[in-house]
Amino acid sequence: MIDNSTPGKDISLSDIQSKFPLASKKNHDHFSSFLIAGVQFGRGFCPVFAGPNMVESEKLIKDIAINVKNSGASFLRGGAFKPLTFPYRSTKYNESREKGIEWLDKAKSFAKIPVITEVMEEKFIPLISEVADILQIGTRNMQNYPLLTACAKTQKPIMLKRGFGCSLRDWLGAAEYLLIEGNKRIILCERGIVAPHTHRSSSRFLLDLQVVPAAQEFTHLPIITDPSHACFWRPWVSQLAKACVAVGSNGLMLEVHPDPPNAAVDPLQAINYLEFHDLMKDLKLIGEVCKTKVGT
Amino acid sequence: MIDNSTPGKDISLSDIQSKFPLASKKNHDHFSSFLIAGVQFGRGFCPVFAGPNMVESEKLIKDIAINVKNSGASFLRGGAFKPLTFPYRSTKYNESREKGIEWLDKAKSFAKIPVITEVMEEKFIPLISEVADILQIGTRNMQNYPLLTACAKTQKPIMLKRGFGCSLRDWLGAAEYLLIEGNKRIILCERGIVAPHTHRSSSRFLLDLQVVPAAQEFTHLPIITDPSHACFWRPWVSQLAKACVAVGSNGLMLEVHPDPPNAAVDPLQAINYLEFHDLMKDLKLIGEVCKTKVGT
Amino acid sequence: MIDNSTPGKDISLSDIQSKFPLASKKNHDHFSSFLIAGVQFGRGFCPVFAGPNMVESEKLIKDIAINVKNSGASFLRGGAFKPLTFPYRSTKYNESREKGIEWLDKAKSFAKIPVITEVMEEKFIPLISEVADILQIGTRNMQNYPLLTACAKTQKPIMLKRGFGCSLRDWLGAAEYLLIEGNKRIILCERGIVAPHTHRSSSRFLLDLQVVPAAQEFTHLPIITDPSHACFWRPWVSQLAKACVAVGSNGLMLEVHPDPPNAAVDPLQAINYLEFHDLMKDLKLIGEVCKTKVGT
Amino acid sequence: MIDNSTPGKDISLSDIQSKFPLASKKNHDHFSSFLIAGVQFGRGFCPVFAGPNMVESEKLIKDIAINVKNSGASFLRGGAFKPLTFPYRSTKYNESREKGIEWLDKAKSFAKIPVITEVMEEKFIPLISEVADILQIGTRNMQNYPLLTACAKTQKPIMLKRGFGCSLRDWLGAAEYLLIEGNKRIILCERGIVAPHTHRSSSRFLLDLQVVPAAQEFTHLPIITDPSHACFWRPWVSQLAKACVAVGSNGLMLEVHPDPPNAAVDPLQAINYLEFHDLMKDLKLIGEVCKTKVGT
């Protein structure tokens, strides 16, 4: 019923075979299923990634690791290498870089929880790969193809965030660059897109939940959602997180910090331990209705 | 060099007091609550509006009315007067207009279910008001201020669909035109917006669920969501409908038709009776988690 | 080369024949050509519409009429009935309505310049038609089909502004509603669209000049451009106006006011007499390069 | 309840001082002026970059170099390393990579015209820097900060294309990463953005000319425009190119190929020698009106 031989912004039938044959589903019920650090990914599972925007100190990341794990998080998230829109840091903020990776490693051992963190440059892949269970490609690097290829070649699992101006078609093209290296454990992550309106002047992106069933129509790869970066506004996060699970996300990423207003980066968007704990209870119940297991 | 006192696209503090004082919340817990045809609207309630895109015949609309009611719908929806993007109708399709209103009236008595239908012109307000329990203002008329004022003056409840290119700020401005006439039973309805990407070439709009917590931050008016018109693609509707409830919508509108591929209008988007019935069960369970009563 | 049997957001070959047969070009060189109040419209001509956002007083509109005419404007523009996003007026601003139409009439006789003004409601069409040489349909009413039909039936020339969230496809659909009434003097007007970014927080829309060659590929109707409403920022208007002529616009609309910061409406966007006078000289020269006659 | 001190999507006064102090203008008349390979950049100059999407062969690039130079181009453009949305190449197309750089070098000597070409990876910077007079950062790499820093450190002139989902604010943030390395010869290039509508199903982006006066309000850096990549449709390129000059662009990039339908990449968008030659004549005349010198 769908045809479009001409190039377009949205997906057409011919794309599926010629543009991303590895990312495309072979049939209606084709969904990838795999383990990462003992955690099951695929249809029927919704692992939860939780943690701070930035790994600020060893003490703090250990504390967060224990707390999110106890509330049911499957992975600890936290940035050590971070792309920022402007080159100037505040007095409070400095990228923790190599030190941050070391602290993540300690938090991982301490709390016995696998970790995910972002890779921005090929040269840090070996260092990060020793600690991270999943390599994260950020929104600004979704179409940095040399970086994609270098990450894929490690055969480490990869989470590919959607470029905030990119279509699902572009995104599956980027995933194809990963799959073509023989790497099978690839996860997509929706994190908010540019749109004409975001409702409040402090919001920057719009969470696109329509992309979840859309991705599940076209690709077998798991798709997870990140409402924290999308809405950039703590009071909206819990409601959106519930919608993320209900729409059928195959995973959820949430920013959690013990004292959000004093977080080093993006203090408007993180939720605190108690909010996360209460939210996880509701998410698990919604997951039961939707036949998906949320968190651990 | 820059003057920032001027209006922007998203909402700022000064807007709340000067642009839509009646639509704005007076305090954090301020949410409107009212009855329409015995159905409760407001926080904690999620009435369901279900029915066909167009009222095609007396027989069909009666059949749909009974079926959606039995599955838990609170209102029967159906268009008699319909704005279409192009002036040419197919051989199959003709607006049912006055006849459609008559058929809606018969279905309403037959199934004992209240109805909602669209008003496009001031001159038909009296006719439609005799039958409809809620007057619907469509997306293309959100900023047709004379029509808004004329509808508001009837003191009938009004559902105001969001213009597909309009911001929440524009939308609350339009609601203010209704409220200023003393009409208190005003419902907002998100139905999909224009966006750079909609994922498949047959989709036209993007469902914006971020607007639900955003609206609930700024206005006391109930906000309902319509995933059918937004995604325009049946296979995505159920997942999106679950997300609509989970995000905290104060109502849900769904297109239901016994034989969707043969519906007179928009045959790609309606779900059938069985899909609706099964969906309602899940929606009620998700509603329980989110402390909202879905449907009857 | 173009195919799209499925509905899409952009134009496909099948649309041209089935959706807007009257608006579509019959061949590559098909462009409408007609006179309005002695002014030539069509390929090779770029009439200029200039004047204030609102008709504020008889004295002021007469003064503006004389001045813009002397600088080469073809038509006087000015709003008497105006849709505003919020129902509250400032102390300074009140719609001039019937009085504004009367003042426009006086300015028209005084300066011997034809006029264009907006129609918002069917009931005012007779009054406005007595004075206006062109009826303007505003951006918020582009898809108010009953209003379109009522205006078209007068057989007065009509300028149809593009809805700020609407595609060219939607726009040609609306034009078709006008053409189907036998009205041949239809002009399209691009006035800025919603987009993710508009560059400064006081700007609301993005001027879309790509739509000019696009419209000229698909329709024979003249397309004019309005940079003032689009960019909403005086310092950008002259540069954009030059681009409007260079891109091949078949007309230009500009907001001109003797004292822009004290204009009753939208004080940020109008240019003053001197700026308009100087701009017109450059526009005429650019028009010569582009083989189009700008203004009178 | 609302905090507006946080970052928004468009530019505010506080941004200018804290986010991009080096890219910001010091006063109204502050515009950078510099030479690259003997070509003057800055206010009053509009150098033209012309050439194929990809450097296909030595013979072809030499032929193009001679032809565009004779028609007035200031620089030869051509891609050797190219990011493509999908990993699969056609039988016709293979990136020319190191060979392409060598061919560019030969064309440069042969036609005595400086060249610009894209850098995708840090490791190829030395190779490319030997040949290129300007390093081009592509739209997909605008926020690849390590690449930006590595390019900036060479002190070679850099052209920074706008990310297709990025705001002017994001863009100036990226430029700041270049300027902070002491590199002063930085050029911005608008090349089309994502938008809800692009008018025909084969078009992918929307040319944003409003960003030209916007950039010139906020930054002293030259801003050039690329209508070819933006509209992706040959029949629209000439009209848009004229608008690019008329709006005040400080440079123009155009795709030119002797046989566009048989170009290895993007065959829909290049113009041929004759079209380029005729266009240059008109552009020079429009430039005279706008007080800018177009091409050589």
Side-chain angles (χ1 to χ4, degrees):
Chain A
M1 189 164 19
I2 304 171
D3 162 305
N4 315 272
S5 43
T6 45
K9 297 179 300 178
D10 291 317
I11 292 178
S12 67
L13 189 57
S14 66
D15 289 337
I16 294 173
Q17 283 133 14
S18 66
K19 304 296 188 190
F20 28 86
L22 300 176
S24 294
K25 291 168 74 170
K26 302 293 162 265
N27 58 62
H28 185 269
D29 292 319
H30 178 201
F31 291 102
S32 278
S33 173
F34 48 76
L35 282 173
I36 301 176
V39 178
Q40 181 71 46
F41 282 80
R43 228 185 183 187
F45 296 90
C46 182
V48 174
F49 304 65
N53 191 300
M54 195 178 67
V55 180
E56 299 175 38
S57 72
E58 182 183 331
K59 185 164 178 293
L60 191 65
I61 192 69
K62 278 181 171 174
D63 191 63
I64 295 173
I66 284 288
N67 273 278
V68 298
K69 188 184 180 188
N70 287 346
S71 297
S74 319
F75 283 81
L76 174 66
R77 61 143 288 154
F81 294 91
K82 293 197 55 62
L84 293 182
T85 305
F86 306 100
Y88 305 105
R89 282 31 175 166
S90 64
T91 49
K92 182 157 67 176
Y93 173 68
N94 278 295
E95 268 185 300
S96 51
R97 301 176 67 89
E98 290 88 341
K99 227 165 204 26
I101 298 296
E102 195 189 313
W103 295 335
L104 264 182
D105 195 24
K106 290 189 172 161
K108 175 179 171 170
S109 307
F110 179 71
K112 302 202 190 329
I113 183 170
V115 306
I116 177 170
T117 197
E118 182 165 351
V119 178
M120 281 176 64
E121 289 181 80
E122 189 173 341
K123 69 181 170 200
F124 292 110
I125 293 177
L127 173 76
I128 296 170
S129 292
E130 273 179 49
V131 173
D133 298 278
I134 304 177
L135 303 179
Q136 174 177 324
I137 308 281
T139 184
R140 290 165 184 79
N141 281 313
M142 190 198 92
Q143 295 188 313
N144 180 347
Y145 303 119
L147 181 65
L148 265 56
T149 299
C151 286
K153 281 182 191 301
T154 65
Q155 301 300 330
K156 299 279 296 186
I158 295 172
M159 187 183 82
L160 180 67
K161 283 203 155 186
R162 177 180 178 191
F164 51 69
C166 291
S167 68
L168 175 56
R169 190 174 179 270
D170 297 333
W171 198 6
L172 296 184
E176 195 78 10
Y177 274 93
L178 301 174
L179 293 162
I180 210 171
E181 301 299 334
N183 195 327
K184 300 213 181 300
R185 293 181 296 174
I186 308 301
I187 304 159
L188 305 175
C189 177
E190 157 67 21
R191 47 76 68 210
I193 56 169
V194 294
H197 308 295
T198 60
H199 316 314
R200 66 196 324 286
S201 53
S202 64
S203 293
R204 296 183 299 186
F205 299 106
L206 191 77
L207 182 64
D208 173 12
L209 289 183
Q210 192 160 310
V211 82
V212 174
Q216 292 167 346
E217 175 174 345
F218 294 111
T219 183
H220 55 87
L221 298 173
I223 175 166
I224 80 165
T225 43
D226 173 353
S228 304
H229 279 85
C231 77
F232 201 65
W233 187 234
R234 181 164 42 256
W236 300 351
V237 169
S238 291
Q239 282 175 264
L240 289 171
K242 291 178 199 173
C244 288
V245 171
V247 84
S249 298
N250 307 119
L252 189 69
M253 178 168 262
L254 283 167
E255 234 162 85
V256 179
H257 192 280
D259 182 15
N262 288 308
V265 181
D266 291 350
L268 295 179
Q269 77 197 31
I271 56 174
N272 66 30
Y273 292 160
L274 184 60
E275 288 167 320
F276 179 65
H277 190 77
D278 288 349
L279 177 58
M280 283 298 288
K281 287 192 220 163
D282 283 353
L283 297 180
K284 281 171 184 289
L285 293 170
I286 293 171
E288 280 173 28
V289 179
C290 300
K291 298 181 179 46
T292 195
K293 182 176 188 300
V294 177
T296 55
Chain B
M1 189 161 24
I2 302 168
D3 168 18
N4 270 325
S5 55
T6 48
K9 297 179 299 176
D10 290 317
I11 292 178
S12 66
L13 189 59
S14 66
D15 289 337
I16 295 174
Q17 282 133 15
S18 67
K19 304 295 188 191
F20 28 84
L22 300 176
S24 294
K25 290 168 75 170
K26 302 294 162 263
N27 57 63
H28 186 267
D29 292 319
H30 178 200
F31 290 102
S32 278
S33 173
F34 47 76
L35 282 173
I36 301 176
V39 178
Q40 183 70 48
F41 282 81
R43 228 185 181 188
F45 296 90
C46 181
V48 174
F49 304 67
N53 190 300
M54 195 178 65
V55 180
E56 300 176 36
S57 73
E58 181 182 333
K59 186 164 178 294
L60 191 65
I61 193 69
K62 279 181 169 172
D63 191 63
I64 295 173
I66 283 288
N67 273 278
V68 298
K69 188 185 180 184
N70 286 345
S71 297
S74 319
F75 282 81
L76 174 66
R77 62 144 287 156
F81 295 92
K82 292 197 56 63
L84 293 181
T85 305
F86 307 101
Y88 306 106
R89 281 37 176 161
S90 64
T91 49
K92 182 158 68 174
Y93 173 68
N94 278 296
E95 269 185 299
S96 53
R97 300 178 67 89
E98 290 88 341
K99 229 167 202 24
I101 299 296
E102 194 188 314
W103 295 336
L104 265 181
D105 195 24
K106 289 188 172 161
K108 174 180 174 169
S109 308
F110 178 71
K112 303 202 190 328
I113 183 170
V115 306
I116 177 171
T117 196
E118 181 165 351
V119 178
M120 281 177 63
E121 289 181 80
E122 188 172 343
K123 69 182 171 199
F124 292 110
I125 293 177
L127 173 77
I128 296 170
S129 293
E130 273 180 48
V131 173
D133 298 277
I134 304 178
L135 303 179
Q136 174 178 323
I137 308 281
T139 184
R140 291 166 184 78
N141 281 314
M142 190 198 92
Q143 296 189 311
N144 180 347
Y145 303 119
L147 180 66
L148 265 56
T149 299
C151 286
K153 282 182 189 301
T154 65
Q155 302 300 329
K156 298 279 296 187
I158 295 171
M159 187 183 81
L160 180 68
K161 284 203 156 188
R162 177 180 177 189
F164 51 68
C166 291
S167 68
L168 176 55
R169 189 174 180 270
D170 297 335
W171 199 5
L172 295 184
E176 195 79 8
Y177 274 93
L178 302 173
L179 292 162
I180 210 172
E181 301 298 332
N183 195 327
K184 301 212 181 298
R185 292 182 296 174
I186 307 301
I187 303 160
L188 306 174
C189 177
E190 157 66 24
R191 48 75 69 209
I193 56 169
V194 294
H197 308 296
T198 60
H199 317 312
R200 66 198 322 286
S201 54
S202 64
S203 293
R204 296 183 299 185
F205 300 106
L206 191 75
L207 182 65
D208 173 12
L209 289 183
Q210 192 161 311
V211 82
V212 174
Q216 291 168 345
E217 175 175 344
F218 294 112
T219 183
H220 54 88
L221 298 173
I223 174 165
I224 79 165
T225 43
D226 173 353
S228 305
H229 279 84
C231 77
F232 201 67
W233 187 236
R234 179 164 42 257
W236 300 351
V237 169
S238 292
Q239 283 176 263
L240 289 171
K242 291 177 200 174
C244 288
V245 171
V247 85
S249 298
N250 307 117
L252 189 69
M253 177 168 265
L254 283 167
E255 234 162 88
V256 179
H257 192 281
D259 182 13
N262 288 308
V265 181
D266 290 348
L268 295 179
Q269 78 196 33
I271 56 175
N272 65 29
Y273 293 159
L274 184 59
E275 289 167 320
F276 179 65
H277 190 76
D278 289 347
L279 176 59
M280 282 298 286
K281 287 192 222 165
D282 283 352
L283 297 180
K284 282 170 183 292
L285 292 171
I286 293 171
E288 281 173 27
V289 179
C290 300
K291 299 185 176 43
T292 194
K293 183 176 187 301
V294 177
T296 56
Chain C
M1 187 162 20
I2 305 171
D3 159 346
N4 319 269
S5 43
T6 46
K9 297 180 299 178
D10 291 316
I11 292 178
S12 66
L13 188 58
S14 66
D15 289 337
I16 294 173
Q17 282 132 16
S18 67
K19 304 296 188 190
F20 29 84
L22 299 175
S24 294
K25 290 168 75 170
K26 301 295 161 265
N27 57 63
H28 185 268
D29 293 319
H30 178 200
F31 290 102
S32 278
S33 174
F34 47 76
L35 283 173
I36 301 176
V39 178
Q40 183 70 47
F41 282 81
R43 229 187 182 187
F45 296 91
C46 182
V48 174
F49 304 65
N53 191 299
M54 193 177 67
V55 181
E56 299 176 39
S57 72
E58 182 183 331
K59 185 163 178 294
L60 191 65
I61 193 69
K62 279 181 170 172
D63 191 64
I64 295 174
I66 284 289
N67 272 278
V68 298
K69 189 185 178 186
N70 286 345
S71 298
S74 320
F75 283 80
L76 174 67
R77 61 143 289 154
F81 295 92
K82 293 198 54 65
L84 293 181
T85 306
F86 306 101
Y88 307 105
R89 281 32 176 165
S90 64
T91 49
K92 183 157 68 174
Y93 173 68
N94 278 296
E95 270 185 298
S96 52
R97 300 176 67 88
E98 290 89 340
K99 229 166 203 25
I101 299 295
E102 195 189 313
W103 296 334
L104 265 182
D105 195 23
K106 290 189 171 161
K108 175 181 173 169
S109 307
F110 178 72
K112 302 202 190 333
I113 184 169
V115 305
I116 177 170
T117 196
E118 181 165 352
V119 178
M120 282 177 62
E121 288 181 81
E122 189 172 343
K123 69 182 171 199
F124 292 110
I125 293 177
L127 173 77
I128 295 171
S129 294
E130 273 180 48
V131 172
D133 298 277
I134 304 178
L135 303 179
Q136 174 177 324
I137 308 281
T139 185
R140 291 166 184 78
N141 280 314
M142 190 198 92
Q143 295 189 312
N144 180 348
Y145 303 118
L147 180 65
L148 264 57
T149 300
C151 286
K153 282 183 191 299
T154 65
Q155 301 300 330
K156 299 279 295 187
I158 294 172
M159 187 183 79
L160 180 68
K161 283 203 156 186
R162 177 179 177 190
F164 52 68
C166 291
S167 68
L168 175 56
R169 189 174 180 268
D170 297 334
W171 198 7
L172 295 184
E176 195 79 8
Y177 274 93
L178 302 174
L179 292 162
I180 209 172
E181 299 300 332
N183 195 327
K184 299 211 182 300
R185 293 182 295 174
I186 307 300
I187 303 160
L188 305 175
C189 178
E190 157 66 22
R191 46 78 67 209
I193 57 168
V194 294
H197 309 295
T198 60
H199 316 314
R200 65 194 327 283
S201 53
S202 64
S203 293
R204 296 182 300 185
F205 300 106
L206 191 76
L207 181 65
D208 173 12
L209 289 184
Q210 192 161 310
V211 82
V212 174
Q216 291 168 345
E217 175 174 346
F218 294 112
T219 183
H220 54 88
L221 299 173
I223 174 165
I224 79 165
T225 42
D226 174 352
S228 305
H229 279 85
C231 77
F232 201 67
W233 186 236
R234 184 166 37 257
W236 300 351
V237 169
S238 292
Q239 283 175 262
L240 290 170
K242 291 177 201 174
C244 289
V245 171
V247 86
S249 298
N250 307 118
L252 188 69
M253 178 169 263
L254 283 167
E255 236 163 84
V256 179
H257 192 281
D259 182 15
N262 288 307
V265 181
D266 290 349
L268 295 180
Q269 79 196 32
I271 56 175
N272 66 29
Y273 292 160
L274 183 60
E275 288 168 320
F276 180 64
H277 190 77
D278 289 347
L279 177 58
M280 282 297 287
K281 287 192 221 164
D282 283 352
L283 297 180
K284 281 169 184 291
L285 293 170
I286 294 172
E288 281 172 28
V289 179
C290 300
K291 300 184 176 45
T292 195
K293 183 178 187 301
V294 176
T296 55
Chain D
M1 187 161 24
I2 303 168
D3 168 17
N4 271 326
S5 55
T6 48
K9 296 180 300 177
D10 290 317
I11 292 178
S12 67
L13 188 58
S14 66
D15 289 337
I16 294 174
Q17 284 133 13
S18 66
K19 304 297 188 189
F20 28 86
L22 299 176
S24 294
K25 290 168 75 171
K26 303 293 163 265
N27 57 62
H28 186 268
D29 293 319
H30 178 201
F31 291 102
S32 278
S33 174
F34 47 76
L35 283 173
I36 301 176
V39 178
Q40 182 71 46
F41 282 81
R43 228 184 184 190
F45 295 90
C46 182
V48 174
F49 304 66
N53 191 300
M54 195 177 67
V55 180
E56 299 176 38
S57 72
E58 182 184 330
K59 185 163 179 296
L60 192 65
I61 193 70
K62 279 181 171 173
D63 192 63
I64 294 173
I66 283 289
N67 273 277
V68 298
K69 188 184 179 189
N70 286 345
S71 297
S74 320
F75 284 80
L76 173 67
R77 62 144 287 156
F81 295 92
K82 293 196 56 62
L84 292 182
T85 306
F86 307 101
Y88 306 106
R89 284 24 179 173
S90 65
T91 49
K92 183 159 62 177
Y93 174 68
N94 278 295
E95 267 185 301
S96 51
R97 301 177 67 88
E98 290 89 341
K99 232 171 199 21
I101 299 296
E102 193 188 314
W103 296 335
L104 265 181
D105 194 25
K106 290 187 172 162
K108 176 180 172 170
S109 308
F110 179 71
K112 303 203 188 329
I113 183 170
V115 305
I116 177 171
T117 197
E118 180 165 352
V119 178
M120 282 177 64
E121 289 181 79
E122 188 174 341
K123 68 182 171 199
F124 292 110
I125 293 178
L127 173 76
I128 296 171
S129 293
E130 272 179 49
V131 173
D133 298 276
I134 304 177
L135 303 179
Q136 174 177 324
I137 308 282
T139 184
R140 291 165 183 78
N141 281 313
M142 190 198 91
Q143 296 188 312
N144 180 348
Y145 303 119
L147 181 65
L148 265 56
T149 299
C151 286
K153 281 183 192 300
T154 64
Q155 302 300 330
K156 299 279 295 186
I158 295 171
M159 188 184 80
L160 180 67
K161 284 203 156 189
R162 177 180 178 189
F164 52 68
C166 291
S167 68
L168 175 56
R169 190 174 179 270
D170 297 334
W171 199 5
L172 295 185
E176 195 78 8
Y177 274 93
L178 302 174
L179 293 163
I180 210 172
E181 300 299 333
N183 194 327
K184 300 212 182 299
R185 292 181 295 173
I186 307 301
I187 304 159
L188 306 175
C189 177
E190 157 66 23
R191 48 74 69 209
I193 56 168
V194 293
H197 309 296
T198 59
H199 316 312
R200 66 197 323 286
S201 55
S202 64
S203 294
R204 298 182 299 186
F205 300 106
L206 192 76
L207 181 65
D208 173 12
L209 289 184
Q210 191 161 312
V211 83
V212 174
Q216 292 168 345
E217 175 175 345
F218 294 112
T219 183
H220 54 87
L221 299 173
I223 175 165
I224 79 166
T225 43
D226 173 353
S228 304
H229 279 85
C231 77
F232 201 66
W233 187 236
R234 180 164 41 257
W236 300 350
V237 169
S238 292
Q239 283 176 263
L240 289 171
K242 291 178 200 173
C244 288
V245 171
V247 85
S249 299
N250 307 118
L252 188 69
M253 177 168 262
L254 283 168
E255 234 162 87
V256 179
H257 192 281
D259 182 15
N262 288 308
V265 181
D266 291 349
L268 295 179
Q269 78 196 30
I271 56 174
N272 66 30
Y273 293 160
L274 184 60
E275 288 167 320
F276 179 65
H277 190 77
D278 289 348
L279 177 58
M280 282 297 288
K281 287 191 220 165
D282 283 353
L283 296 181
K284 282 170 184 290
L285 293 170
I286 293 172
E288 281 173 29
V289 179
C290 300
K291 298 183 178 43
T292 194
K293 182 176 187 300
V294 176
T296 55

